[in-house]
Amino acid sequence: MSFEEHASASSRRGRPELGRLLSHVRAGDEVVVSSMDRLARSVIDLSQITDELMAKGVTLRFVAEGVTYSPAGSDPYARFQLHLLGSVAELERSIIRERQADGIAAAKARGAYRGRPLSLSKQDADAARRLVAEGVPKAEVARHYGINRSTLYRTVLTSP
């Protein structure tokens, strides 16, 4: 069986496929993961997930790192390697986030980064505001401009 997660591995929350995997695996199964950082972004999560799988009698193989962890015996060197490689993956992710933030700040300083374009032009926002004031249902106004009601509330009804 295959489980493919499209959500970020930054946290265990919001990862339904991981939950399905953990509830589906049985003793003797092998879980193959492309890389440690695909399973978890922090050493703590990586350790907890690995422990959970080992407790169920599941073998865990990481392809990129070329390591396999099996429930048979507790190898202190394998545990050390897991924590060491997990720490490196966590450090890499932190560096990437830091560089991304630096790049965005530099682009903003140059005026090259403006963020996401507005959903409504100033004229459309003013017209939508008038329609709402005239009593036109907000859902109808949102449909007319092709935006969600939450966008209507945020951009039209909360800004001047």
Side-chain angles (χ1 to χ4, degrees):
M1 181 167 228
S2 176
F3 298 89
E4 189 174 327
E5 191 80 71
H6 294 282
S8 170
S10 62
S11 158
R12 287 182 76 168
R13 277 182 272 131
R15 295 183 60 200
E17 289 299 304
L18 176 62
R20 284 187 51 229
L21 168 77
L22 293 173
S23 65
H24 179 78
V25 293
R26 304 289 181 257
D29 287 349
E30 180 181 39
V31 173
V32 180
V33 182
S34 62
S35 175
M36 284 182 181
D37 67 337
R38 299 287 87 198
L39 184 62
R41 294 277 197 227
S42 75
V43 176
I44 293 170
D45 277 347
L46 181 63
S47 183
Q48 288 174 346
I49 293 168
T50 303
D51 288 345
E52 196 170 330
L53 291 169
M54 296 299 113
K56 290 183 172 198
V58 174
T59 299
L60 179 59
R61 181 164 52 106
F62 295 104
V63 177
E65 290 84 1
V67 293
T68 302
Y69 299 95
S70 61
S74 176
D75 181 4
Y77 293 106
R79 198 95 192 119
F80 171 73
Q81 185 180 25
L82 176 74
H83 287 140
L84 183 64
L85 292 173
S87 294
V88 170
E90 187 175 345
L91 174 64
E92 285 178 321
R93 184 66 191 136
S94 295
I95 290 169
I96 288 169
R97 273 197 314 268
E98 190 175 292
R99 286 181 180 160
Q100 181 183 27
D102 290 346
I104 289 172
K108 283 182 178 179
R110 289 191 319 268
Y113 185 90
R114 292 180 184 85
R116 185 176 163 179
L118 296 175
S119 299
L120 291 175
S121 67
K122 173 102 170 87
Q123 295 82 8
D124 285 344
D126 290 340
R129 200 172 288 111
R130 279 192 300 275
L131 288 172
V132 170
E134 292 170 5
V136 177
K138 293 170 188 76
E140 188 176 318
V141 174
R143 266 194 307 276
H144 174 75
Y145 288 102
I147 59 174
N148 290 323
R149 280 186 301 156
S150 60
T151 303
L152 178 73
Y153 281 99
R154 186 177 54 254
T155 60
V156 173
L157 301 178
T158 59
S159 60

